[in-house]
Amino acid sequence: INGREPGMIMFTQLRSLGWQARTNGGAANSTLVGGLIAKEPLSAAKLAEISVQDAKVDFARDVIAQIVASPTAPEQLKKLFDVAQNSYFGGPYAAQKAKALAASKDGVAVDINVDDWRKDAAPAQASLADIASAALVEMTAFTAANATSATRSIIAYSIATLLITARPLVGILT
């Protein structure tokens, strides 16, 4: 009933885009980790795969940025977007990822332990999922706040349907 409400649409988009960013960012990271484990530079095909995944993450980020710039966006979601900006798109993870991609493009294996890589990668990727999770919490609260209105609408529609159905029956029987 409230799926067309602007607030619900905003939270649905944030949830979807947050998970899209996390999924694609995780896929790119997994490809990079494969190169670290193999102790070899990534092939041109693998670098292309990462570029595609990164483009999808950047698209999601751009749309999320537009949504959280709205005055109606909850502060919590704005803060989580800032965290993602500073941990996934900036900060140590972004720097180590850029270094690893540049090394692979130059045909050089990146010399970093996978566990050390994950120290920055895991929280950076989690920051993307946090946006999706917070949007779901907001969706739940929005739905709960509108439950009474939705229940009234269902009752009104049910009574109207009953009356519309009953009128012809009364006419037939009389």
Side-chain angles (χ1 to χ4, degrees), residues 86-169:
N86 295 319
S87 61
Y88 186 88
F89 300 104
Y93 174 69
Q96 82 181 11
K97 182 177 175 183
K99 180 181 173 183
L101 290 172
S104 277
K105 286 176 186 172
D106 291 339
V108 178
V110 178
D111 187 24
I112 185 171
N113 178 289
V114 173
D115 290 330
D116 292 336
W117 176 272
R118 289 184 178 136
K119 286 178 188 172
D120 292 321
Q125 291 175 54
S127 72
L128 301 173
D130 289 345
I131 294 169
S133 296
L136 180 58
V137 170
E138 293 290 341
M139 288 171 73
T140 303
F142 185 87
T143 301
N146 290 291
T148 302
S149 171
T151 302
R152 283 187 199 134
S153 293
I154 290 171
I155 291 170
Y157 292 136
S158 297
I159 291 171
T161 301
L162 181 63
L163 291 174
I164 290 168
T165 305
R167 188 168 184 233
L169 288 174

Side-chain angles (χ1 to χ4, degrees), residues 30-43 109-112 114:
S30 294
T31 301
L32 279 165
V33 167
L36 296 176
I37 291 170
K39 298 190 184 299
E40 311 178 340
L42 296 172
S43 67
V110 178
D111 187 24
I112 185 171
V114 173

Side-chain angles (χ1 to χ4, degrees), residues 51-92:
S51 291
V52 169
Q53 299 298 340
D54 285 348
K56 292 176 182 179
V57 174
D58 288 339
F59 170 79
R61 174 177 73 164
D62 289 346
V63 178
I64 291 169
Q66 293 171 29
I67 294 170
V68 299
S70 165
T72 60
E75 283 302 312
Q76 176 64 14
L77 286 164
K78 292 178 182 188
K79 289 177 184 175
L80 289 171
F81 180 70
D82 288 342
V83 170
Q85 286 286 88
N86 295 319
S87 61
Y88 186 88
F89 300 104

